[in-house]
Amino acid sequence: RAEKAASSTALKTPSVSAPSSKKQALIDTQPPRGTRDFPPEEMRLRTWLFNHFREVSRLFGFEEFDAPVLESEELFTRKAGEEIVGQLYNFDDKGGRRVALRPELTPSLARIILSKGKGLSLPAKWFGIGQCWRYERTTRGRRREHYQWNMDVFGVQGVEAEAELLSAIVTFFSRLGLTAKDVGFRVSSRKLLQDVLGRYSIPSESFASVCVVVDKIDKLPREEIEKELGALSVPPEAVTGILQALTLKSLSGLEDLLGADSDAVRELKQLFALADGYGIADWLQFDASVVRGLAYYTGVVFEAFDREGKLRAICGGGRYDKLLSTFGGDDTPACGFGFGDAVIVELLKERGLLPDLPHVVDDVLVTLDEECRPMLNSVAAKLRAAGRSVELVLESKKMKWVFKRVEQVGASRLIVIGSDEAAQEAVKVKDLATREETLVMIKDLV
Ligand SMILES: CC(=O)Nc1cnc2ccccc2c1
């Protein structure tokens, strides 16, 4: 990067001379590795996406929360071998405290819920949109930050909560023009795995770690999975049983394996029935291979996928009834999802569903005579008070420049003041749609 900076310095000698006579080397103008800038054009798309996140959360009666990007490291140091923990963006702060940039929002949410204790009336339905971080050593060049939308329900034991969350995500997809033909949800329950492991008397302490390994089943060769499960004292015959169970694609198949009185079967049947009530059944399919990679899930888990199968999971979530006790608190039933800002944008691009979001203002105001600038400012203030977005040309410009600017900012009106107009306390208003030009008294202007 240094040589690039040097060469660009040669090309672009700064117009304003630096304080010292020596030429200032141009700083690296790129954002830190793995991070993004959001100049206005990108920021408009991000704002558009986040506004849909917020509107769906409002439709479902959820309240917005946030927490610091910086957290105590202990919030995330789970010991189940998760990738997200292995890539923690952690360090010693200047007080020697172990801190980390949050890799997800859920632990911070759990910490706040715990901090409120009995003071919090349940159920708590909270949503957040926050930047999350990871630090990958490999030069895979993957992003080190992304924004995640989370919706979580604390205090509801039944799968009614999961059904609400799935309905919220479907509502979001539908608002963007995506249908059940574009996107589907794979739904399962970790209680399936819990039952299977129980049959091989695998100690429950290994459950989270086994789930984390099993989640990698499509990313690692079978012998690697067997090796990692073996390290968790899961014998080969159990591995075979687990892998077989994960191939199940129907609830009847699941019932044959686990029996009709299995929790997993009962709750999944209920979930699909509730989903049908929302009219979202055709978005969902049971798929036992869905485990998700976070250690703390304990029940229903789900992920949204693009049916063309080109992209990584669009979002994911599930039930995590025991997270608070891992922080020393009393357990409260909870479930939620995380929805990243990257895959969804790739999918919308693929489907030609990205909106065209130009920068627009209502009015451009310009004076032909610097003497009239104070009066022009009074016109700007009046229009802005009435809610119009006004671009005030702040320097003396030729009309050629002004017309170019008007095009750039997509204005509806060009409002010009000169000594003649000022003398009558009027302005010239040019409607840029009809090209019609009228003289309007400032007192009548809206
Ligand atoms: C596709 C993508 O940007 N993924 C991504 C990017 N940054 C992250 C940062 C923290 C946790 C997960 C992350 C995931």
Side-chain angles (χ1 to χ4, degrees):
R1 278 178 190 273
E3 65 285 356
K4 192 167 68 110
S7 66
S8 61
T9 308
L11 291 174
K12 284 179 246 123
T13 350
S15 54
V16 176
S17 61
S20 68
S21 58
K22 187 169 62 59
K23 282 265 172 304
Q24 189 69 31
L26 183 68
I27 57 151
D28 179 354
T29 58
Q30 291 306 302
R33 179 183 292 280
T35 69
R36 294 165 291 172
D37 291 329
F38 288 90
E41 190 181 346
E42 277 73 21
M43 194 64 196
R44 286 196 291 273
L45 176 62
R46 177 177 135 185
T47 300
W48 170 84
L49 189 69
F50 288 15
N51 285 347
H52 281 294
F53 288 158
R54 286 205 162 80
E55 179 55 14
V56 170
S57 304
R58 187 190 67 80
L59 290 173
F60 280 72
F62 279 56
E63 300 174 272
E64 186 163 11
F65 86 98
D66 197 1
V69 174
L70 183 74
E71 285 276 12
S72 163
E73 184 190 48
E74 68 177 353
L75 223 51
F76 312 111
T77 49
R78 306 184 289 257
K79 308 240 179 322
E82 296 153 281
E83 184 183 52
I84 200 169
V85 174
Q87 296 175 343
L88 209 48
Y89 206 129
N90 53 356
F91 52 95
D92 285 310
D93 74 5
K94 291 185 174 173
R97 276 175 291 276
R98 293 298 302 167
V99 290
L101 299 183
R102 64 187 177 198
E104 53 166 333
L105 297 180
T106 305
S108 302
L109 170 57
R111 176 178 58 70
I112 300 172
I113 298 288
L114 271 182
S115 73
K116 289 186 170 296
K118 297 273 179 277
L120 182 71
S121 63
L122 295 179
K125 299 176 184 177
W126 292 9
F127 83 94
I129 305 173
Q131 192 173 35
C132 296
W133 293 83
R134 67 184 173 191
Y135 191 93
E136 292 192 305
R137 287 202 179 290
T138 55
T139 51
R140 265 195 282 183
R142 291 205 308 173
R143 288 202 348 232
R144 285 183 172 160
E145 53 77 26
H146 73 162
Y147 283 83
Q148 224 186 58
W149 170 41
N150 281 217
M151 289 179 81
D152 291 82
V153 178
F154 270 84
V156 174
Q157 187 86 42
V159 295
E160 289 82 356
E162 285 90 328
E164 266 286 84
L165 295 177
L166 288 166
S167 173
I169 305 170
V170 169
T171 302
F172 173 79
F173 284 138
S174 304
R175 291 170 65 91
L176 270 54
L178 291 165
T179 71
K181 291 186 175 51
D182 300 304
V183 173
F185 290 81
R186 295 188 190 94
V187 182
S188 185
S189 171
R190 281 196 173 175
K191 288 180 180 164
L192 186 167
L193 211 43
Q194 200 173 14
D195 278 4
V196 172
L197 293 181
R199 296 178 175 195
Y200 297 98
S201 23
I202 309 291
S204 53
E205 291 70 36
S206 317
F207 178 66
S209 305
V210 168
C211 289
V212 170
V213 172
V214 170
D215 177 60
K216 295 185 279 188
I217 214 134
D218 293 338
K219 300 154 204 157
L220 293 176
R222 162 127 187 197
E223 52 270 15
E224 179 59 25
I225 298 290
E226 286 188 351
K227 183 163 155 281
E228 293 192 24
L229 288 178
L232 295 169
S233 67
V234 176
E237 64 275 14
V239 178
T240 308
I242 290 167
L243 300 182
Q244 213 161 4
L246 295 183
T247 59
L248 288 168
K249 295 273 188 275
S250 74
L251 282 186
S252 54
L254 185 67
E255 193 161 345
D256 295 345
L257 178 75
L258 299 185
D261 61 346
S262 126
D263 271 358
V265 173
R266 184 183 44 72
E267 68 183 21
L268 285 168
K269 277 182 175 173
Q270 190 190 1
L271 180 57
F272 281 93
L274 292 168
D276 206 29
Y278 287 106
I280 64 172
D282 54 353
W283 291 74
L284 313 182
Q285 65 200 53
F286 167 69
D287 182 334
S289 70
V290 176
V291 181
R292 297 299 293 164
L294 292 172
Y296 49 67
Y297 288 132
T298 56
V300 169
V301 284
F302 54 82
E303 64 192 23
F305 66 98
D306 79 290
R307 291 193 188 274
E308 285 191 7
K310 289 185 191 155
L311 304 170
R312 299 170 303 289
I314 302 164
C315 65
R319 180 161 289 277
Y320 53 95
D321 287 344
K322 297 205 174 8
L323 181 58
L324 296 190
S325 55
T326 67
F327 293 156
D330 295 332
D331 273 329
T332 301
C335 65
F337 67 80
F339 195 125
D341 68 345
V343 178
I344 183 65
V345 170
E346 284 175 54
L347 176 60
L348 293 172
K349 241 175 233 163
E350 289 241 319
R351 293 285 194 289
L353 288 170
L354 280 185
D356 178 26
L357 302 166
H359 166 46
V360 283
V361 297
D362 296 319
D363 303 322
V364 171
L365 271 55
V366 65
T367 178
L368 302 176
D369 171 344
E370 283 310 307
E371 295 286 309
C372 313
R373 186 166 290 283
M375 190 175 286
L376 188 73
N377 291 350
S378 76
V379 174
K382 177 181 165 70
L383 290 170
R384 286 164 174 164
R388 293 197 57 95
S389 69
V390 171
E391 146 108 13
L392 190 51
V393 176
L394 297 173
E395 295 167 308
S396 164
K397 294 285 182 186
K398 294 196 177 358
M399 280 314 283
K400 188 164 172 293
W401 182 96
V402 174
F403 280 111
K404 189 158 159 289
R405 184 79 181 165
V406 161
E407 291 303 312
Q408 281 170 342
V409 299
S412 315
R413 296 188 307 188
L414 170 59
I415 294 175
V416 184
I417 196 166
S419 49
D420 301 354
E421 293 78 15
Q424 317 166 50
E425 299 204 347
V427 290
K428 230 185 304 178
V429 179
K430 189 182 183 71
D431 181 309
L432 294 157
T434 64
R435 317 300 300 168
E436 187 193 340
E437 205 166 285
T438 50
L439 189 73
V440 178
M441 303 306 288
I442 292 173
K443 65 178 176 48
D444 302 330
L445 185 65
V446 287

